[in-house]
């Protein structure tokens, strides 16, 4: 093993003839290169932090400032003279040091002013509400804002360059949130129920609501984002339910292209592509994603790699369950997200065995052909799993407290601790499945099985605690399974889109389906992880396997490739594609359930620093009016079209409000958190947070990298991803608008529910 080799890379012995020194030049070179890489990363990080701290001003602007001051002094316009006199009088600095100090101060004040003006520019959100496109009329205010934005935002930004200039998420006035909430539930309540909610809201506004709002205002003033830390803690990390199906989500391969059927080759290319993405994050060579020239917050990228979720036992006395579930009070534990600054390996799972696979050699990434050789060694390894090893990952699919107890009892020392540490410190997990998945237009069940494999697998062959698992099937098909607490789906979507683009367009394969290039170095075989699992631990693992099989067996997941029309037709109708699809989902749900129900759509708040998500409530008075007109056979078609236009406009406005920090649910969620800290009860907040979200929806973004052209290479577009059912009697729907004439839908529900059937919903 490489570790054993390095252990004897340098040794000496004392004999009667003197000191005998033995060393291995190659291994010492590896050690030297590893240290060099580590120091290079530190220096690069310091340099990037300095550049980001002064952005949008370039580093050389100080030299320009000093040169201008120097030229001005020779021309008799010495603006620094008074300051220099003060430095000589009070600080007693030599003239040249005083000049440097004064020009540095002037330059620093200029940079601060520049950054503040940029911050004020980002505060303006009026552009969000104006129609875009050919022939659109833009207000003078927005045009002037665009000019200032172009002048102030700088050039060649790094990934985190705008972080310090992004505004905080605004705290909405309490009255505004109450008004919007009542408007959102009006179509769902009868007159008696609505009057009761109006009464509760008025009591809340006049009573405890004012006090809670003051505390929240204080947090908003002090914290970078008044929602994100509590959202991560109470919605995700304090949840005790299994991550599998309930929290983790998946991404799926590009269905129209299958570049190779060689499992090792496909995995090698995708591992290499993922490491290139990590390098882009570490070196900040990736550009921040921009919306109409305004950057989105890049904070979530930081924990994409080298991150794991550690199960906890003891925690707070109360819990807010995920927004898609009712709130309940119970003793619970709290998990922790652990992010390591660096990792030089991934862990590969194949046929019940775990292997440590280094991804660096001599301070450089292993090339795809080199990774391919290493992966083939794993695939061809005939050794059987150790007792309990094959189903070990079922612990991460179990209830969190049970996994925490097992981890503490059986994995806190010895070889188990070392092996578990290698998994948790890995850049990510690689799963080499022993099954094949594919897409067959004549057999939709093939695609359903593909999605189910990415969502939960067999319940024991995914390490659900890792930030993400890269899954490669026996026939080369691939996908991801991602843990949710560290970031939201657009981040994983960006990684997956980048990896697929690199795989298809740049890395490629030979005519035989192998990785391009060749392996010209001798590499040590991947290290097999060693486990010593006692009988009680194996019994716990077996119990978790049964629980995982029961949970995944209740998932009714179906995927739909909708190719009748897509974004092109929706835009011809002059309607927002997202709003169009949301209205279609409302109509489908009404026809399925015979009634309207509270609907969740995720939007992002990344226009603000450390922003995550906000809820859009698609059920409105306008959407209900349109749905009713569509199920009424006597309705006039022209009237239906007009009602659809109004419903889409109303939905688009709600989506814009949510993106601009004027949503409903995150504000109410934070008020509830404060009420629990203060140990006060509010009937209004209890009613609000116990409402079930029976239809939960989310759109997967595409086109974040700019590498894939939908028109030129539609076959390379990923089919998006999905998530498990979010309510016992509800649906989870994810969709990706993949092209002008293509939309992928992922619909999930619980097979045990008599109220839902995903296939009929399609």
């Amino acid at each position: 093993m490489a570790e054993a080799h390095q252990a004897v890379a340098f040794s000496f012995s004392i004999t009667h003839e003197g000191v005998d020194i033995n060393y291995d030049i190659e291994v010492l070179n590896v050690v030297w290169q590893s240290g060099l890489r580590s120091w290079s990363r530190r220096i690069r990080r310091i340099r990037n932090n300095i550049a980001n701290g002064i952005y949008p001003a370039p580093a050389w602007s100080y030299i320009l400032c000093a040169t201008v001051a120097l030229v001005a002094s020779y021309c008799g316009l010495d603006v620094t003279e008074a300051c220099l006199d003060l430095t000589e009088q009070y600080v007693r600095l030599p003239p040249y040091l005083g000049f440097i100090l004064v020009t540095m101060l002037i330059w620093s004040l200029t940079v601060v002013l520049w950054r503040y003006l940029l911050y004020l520019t980002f505060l303006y959100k009026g552009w969000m509400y104006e129609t875009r496109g050919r022939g659109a009329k833009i207000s003078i205010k927005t045009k002037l804002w665009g000019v200032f934005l172009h002048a102030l935002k700088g050039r060649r930004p790094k990934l985190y360059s705008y972080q310090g200039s992004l505004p905080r998420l605004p705290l909405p006035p309490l009255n505004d949130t109450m008004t919007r909430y009542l408007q959102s539930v009006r179509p769902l309540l009868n007159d008696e129920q609505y009057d009761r909610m109006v009464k509760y809201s008025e009591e809340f506004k006049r009573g405890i609501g004012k006090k809670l709002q003051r505390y929240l205002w204080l947090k908003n003033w002090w914290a970078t984002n008044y929602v994100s830390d509590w959202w991560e803690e109470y919605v995700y990390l304090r949840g005790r339910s299994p991550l599998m199906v309930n929290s983790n989500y998946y991404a799926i391969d590009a269905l129209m292209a299958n570049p190779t059927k060689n499992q090792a080759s496909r995995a090698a290319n995708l591992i290499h592509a993922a490491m290139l993405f990590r390098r882009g994050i570490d070196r900040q060579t990736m550009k921040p994603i921009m919306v109409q020239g305004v950057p989105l917050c890049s904070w979530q990228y930081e924990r994409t790699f080298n991150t794991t979720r550690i199960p906890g036992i003891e925690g707070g006395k109360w819990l807010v369950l995920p927004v898609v579930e009712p709130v309940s009070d119970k003793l619970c534990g709290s998990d922790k997200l652990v992010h390591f600054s660096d990792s030089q390996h991934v862990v590969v799972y194949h046929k019940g065995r775990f292997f440590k696979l280094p991804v660096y050699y001599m301070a450089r990434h292993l090339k795809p052909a080199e990774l391919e050789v290493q992966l083939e060694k794993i695939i061809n390894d005939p050794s059987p799993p150790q007792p309990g090893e094959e189903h070990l990952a079922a612990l991460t699919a179990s209830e969190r407290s049970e996994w925490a107890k097992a981890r503490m009892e059986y994995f806190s020392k010895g070889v188990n601790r070392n092996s578990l540490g290698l998994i948790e410190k890995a850049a990510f997990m690689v799963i080499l499945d022993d099954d094949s998945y594919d897409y067959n237009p004549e057999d939709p069940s093939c695609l359903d099985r593909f999605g189910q494999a990415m969502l939960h697998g067999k319940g024991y062959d995914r390490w659900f605690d890792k930030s993400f698992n890269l899954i490669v099937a026996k026939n080369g098909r691939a996908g991801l399974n991602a843990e949710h607490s560290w970031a939201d789906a657009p981040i994983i979507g960006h990684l997956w889109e980048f990896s697929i683009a690199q795989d298809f367009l740049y890395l490629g394969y030979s005519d035989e389906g192998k990785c391009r290039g060749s392996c010209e170095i001798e590499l040590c075989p991947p290290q097999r992880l060693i486990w010593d699992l006692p009988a009680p631990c194996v019994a716990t693992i077996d119990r978790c396997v049964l629980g995982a099989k029961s949970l995944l067996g209740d998932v009714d997941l179906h995927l739909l490739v909708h190719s009748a029309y897509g974004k092109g037709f929706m835009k011809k109708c002059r309607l927002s594609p997202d709003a169009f699809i949301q209205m279609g989902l409302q109509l489908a749900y009404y026809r399925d359930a015979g009634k309207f129900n509270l609907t969740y759509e995720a939007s992002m708040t990344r226009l603000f620093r450390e922003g995550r998500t906000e809820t859009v409530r698609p059920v409105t008075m306008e959407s209900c009016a349109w749905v009713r007109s569509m199920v009424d056979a006597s309705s006039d078609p022209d009237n239906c079209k007009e009602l659809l236009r109004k419903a889409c406009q109303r939905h688009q406005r709600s989506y814009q409000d949510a993106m601009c920090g004027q949503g409903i649910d995150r504000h109410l969620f934070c008020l509830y958190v404060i009420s629990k800290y203060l140990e006060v009860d509010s009937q209004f907040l209890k009613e609000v947070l116990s409402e079930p979200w029976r239809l939960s929806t989310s759109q997967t973004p595409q086109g974040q990298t700019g590498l894939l052209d939908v028109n030129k290479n539609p076959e390379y577009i990923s089919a998006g991803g999905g998530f498990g059912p979010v309510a016992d009697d509800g649906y989870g729907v994810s969709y990706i608008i993949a092209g002008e004439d293509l939309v992928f839908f992922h619909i999930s529900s619980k097979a045990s529910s008599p109220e839902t059937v995903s296939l009929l919903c399609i």
Side-chain angles (χ1 to χ4, degrees), residues 616-631:
V616 181
R617 296 180 169 223
V619 180
T620 61
M621 298 297 289
E622 292 82 356
S623 70
C624 293
W626 174 72
V627 168
R628 291 191 179 99
S629 73
M630 290 296 292
V631 298

Side-chain angles (χ1 to χ4, degrees), residues 383-685:
S383 61
Q386 300 159 71
E389 182 182 15
E390 181 178 6
H391 297 157
L392 179 62
L395 291 169
T396 68
S398 66
E399 195 268 343
R400 300 304 291 171
S401 295
E402 183 173 13
W403 167 212
K405 293 174 184 176
R407 186 178 185 277
M408 185 180 299
E409 186 170 355
Y410 305 116
F411 299 90
S412 59
K413 58 184 178 181
V415 295
N416 292 343
R417 177 176 180 174
N418 295 336
S419 295
L420 180 62
L422 288 173
I423 291 176
E424 293 178 341
K425 293 175 183 177
F428 54 91
M429 284 291 295
V430 179
I431 312 296
L432 300 179
D433 269 0
D434 205 31
D435 297 319
S436 296
Y437 315 116
D438 218 332
Y439 166 58
N440 183 357
E442 304 300 324
D443 184 5
S445 65
C446 291
L447 190 54
D448 298 340
R449 287 193 295 271
F450 196 173
Q452 291 161 7
M454 298 303 107
L455 176 62
H456 51 63
K458 297 175 183 177
Y460 57 79
D461 54 355
R462 313 280 185 262
W463 199 271
F464 294 101
D465 287 358
K466 287 300 292 182
S467 55
F468 70 92
N469 290 242
L470 171 62
I471 306 163
V472 183
K474 195 171 184 178
N475 63 341
R477 288 292 191 179
L480 297 177
N481 181 284
E483 202 276 319
H484 207 327
S485 63
W486 62 272
D488 300 308
I491 308 302
I492 279 292
H494 192 177
L495 163 65
W496 191 228
E497 183 181 323
F498 177 89
S499 299
I500 288 179
Q502 291 291 326
D503 182 30
F504 290 160
L505 301 179
Y506 301 103
L507 300 176
Y509 302 89
S510 67
D511 294 338
E512 295 78 25
K514 306 282 283 184
C515 292
R516 292 175 179 171
S518 60
C519 180
E520 299 176 353
I521 56 176
E522 186 67 29
L523 296 168
C524 295
Q527 175 190 347
R528 177 79 184 274
L529 302 194
I530 305 300
W531 307 95
D532 182 16
L533 305 175
C537 180
V538 174
T540 300
I541 293 171
D542 292 341
R543 187 168 60 250
C544 291
V545 171
L546 293 176
K549 287 184 177 179
S550 175
L551 181 58
L552 67 87
D554 197 24
V555 176
D556 183 18
L557 175 66
H558 293 279
L559 280 67
L560 171 68
V561 182
H562 184 275
S563 56
Y565 61 86
K567 179 171 60 176
F569 171 76
M570 300 171 196
K571 287 189 173 181
K572 285 182 181 178
C573 297
R574 296 180 178 270
L575 298 174
S576 158
D578 179 72
F580 186 100
I581 291 175
Q582 285 292 330
M583 294 307 106
L585 293 175
Q586 286 300 310
L587 178 58
Y589 185 85
Y590 187 84
R591 285 173 171 168
D592 177 59
K595 59 182 178 179
F596 299 105
N597 255 314
L598 197 60
T599 303
Y600 176 97
E601 181 188 5
S603 75
M604 63 179 181
T605 55
R606 287 171 59 200
L607 290 170
F608 303 95
R609 193 171 181 182
E610 295 185 11
R612 291 203 59 163
T613 62
E614 178 58 274
T615 303
V616 181
R617 296 180 169 223
V619 180
T620 61
M621 298 297 289
E622 292 82 356
S623 70
C624 293
W626 174 72
V627 168
R628 291 191 179 99
S629 73
M630 290 296 292
V631 298
D632 184 356
S634 63
S635 295
D636 176 46
D638 290 335
N639 184 52
C640 290
K641 292 178 183 178
E642 181 62 21
L643 290 174
L644 175 61
R645 184 184 63 81
K646 291 181 179 179
C648 288
Q649 288 177 345
R650 179 70 182 86
H651 179 84
Q652 191 171 8
R653 179 58 185 249
S654 298
Y655 201 100
Q656 292 163 340
D657 286 343
M659 286 188 66
C660 293
Q662 301 301 314
I664 301 167
D665 293 274
R666 299 302 179 268
H667 185 194
L668 295 177
F669 162 78
C670 289
L671 291 172
Y672 179 78
V673 172
I674 292 178
S675 75
K676 301 305 288 185
Y677 275 120
L678 296 178
E679 297 183 346
V680 297
D681 289 328
S682 166
Q683 188 62 37
F684 172 74
L685 291 177

Side-chain angles (χ1 to χ4, degrees), residues 199-230:
K199 175 186 174 183
Y200 287 156
S201 67
E202 289 298 325
E203 291 175 351
F204 180 74
K205 284 193 295 185
R206 292 194 302 267
I208 191 61
K210 292 182 179 179
K211 182 177 181 180
L212 300 180
Q213 180 76 354
R214 284 195 293 269
Y215 277 107
L216 198 53
W217 176 87
L218 183 63
K219 183 175 190 285
N220 184 51
W221 173 80
W222 178 251
T224 306
N225 187 297
Y226 78 91
V227 176
S228 293
D229 58 336
W230 283 351

